[in-house]
Amino acid sequence: MRYTILGGAKVSRLISEAGISRGSQKVIASVMGLACVFVIVTAIPSGVLLVSAGLVAVIALLTVSVLRITVTIEATDQNLTVRCRPFYSKTIPLQDIVDAAPAPSSSMIEGFGVRYLGQRTWGLLVGGPAIVLETPSRTWLISTPDPEFTAASILAHARK
């Protein structure tokens, strides 16, 4: 576990960190690479190579951003912070946590980034296993490599 130390006191504890798997990274990079090649090849005969080169640069930057997504869960004495880096961060007061449990395996767990899944449910996802975190106002589906440990750790912090 990772702690952030500030003035000699433990400020936050890393409970979980998940990233996109190597296999998924390869698939994403391959598909986006082919898309970039297609854009360039179709731009050459049409005479818009400069504009297409700019589009390819934007696609490449967005692809790198997606490939580097990580989902983290950190706890302090009062709050739980869930992040989908580099795009999103949310702080949840520990007293608002109703329940945390491993998520059932489903296709909803597949996907990447911050997603609204309907019915007050938000996902912070990088594919693979996840937990369901319940608060009075919404439900979170959060990717984690070890759902049982993560759920138990969150509940332990919330019950202090």
Side-chain angles (χ1 to χ4, degrees):
M1 296 302 134
R2 180 177 69 190
Y3 292 94
T4 303
I5 307 297
L6 201 66
K10 291 180 184 174
V11 175
S12 67
R13 176 178 177 223
L14 180 67
I15 294 175
S16 174
E17 183 172 41
I20 298 174
S21 71
R22 290 278 185 214
S24 294
Q25 286 179 339
K26 288 178 183 178
V27 169
I28 293 168
S30 297
V31 168
M32 297 315 291
L34 289 172
C36 289
V37 167
F38 177 78
V39 168
I40 294 296
V41 167
T42 58
I44 292 171
S46 64
V48 289
L49 189 56
L50 186 58
V51 172
S52 296
L55 178 60
V56 166
V58 169
I59 291 170
L61 287 172
L62 288 173
T63 301
V64 168
S65 294
V66 168
L67 294 176
R68 300 189 74 196
I69 289 175
T70 57
V71 172
T72 59
I73 302 170
E74 293 183 32
T76 65
D77 290 338
Q78 293 85 24
N79 300 309
L80 190 71
T81 302
V82 294
R83 290 188 180 95
C84 186
R85 292 182 182 162
F87 304 111
Y88 183 81
S89 179
K90 174 71 175 174
T91 300
I92 302 167
L94 289 175
Q95 71 229 23
D96 288 353
I97 295 173
V98 175
D99 194 19
S105 183
S106 77
S107 61
M108 283 180 33
I109 295 172
E110 296 303 319
F112 309 108
V114 180
R115 297 174 49 187
Y116 179 68
L117 303 170
Q119 299 175 347
R120 305 177 316 121
T121 302
W122 283 87
L124 303 179
L125 306 168
V126 292
I131 62 162
V132 175
L133 179 65
E134 299 280 342
T135 68
S137 60
R138 70 176 51 149
T139 300
W140 295 90
L141 187 62
I142 306 169
S143 292
T144 179
D146 188 347
E148 292 81 14
F149 170 81
T150 302
S153 293
I154 289 170
L155 291 174
H157 276 86
R159 307 285 187 250
K160 282 186 179 178

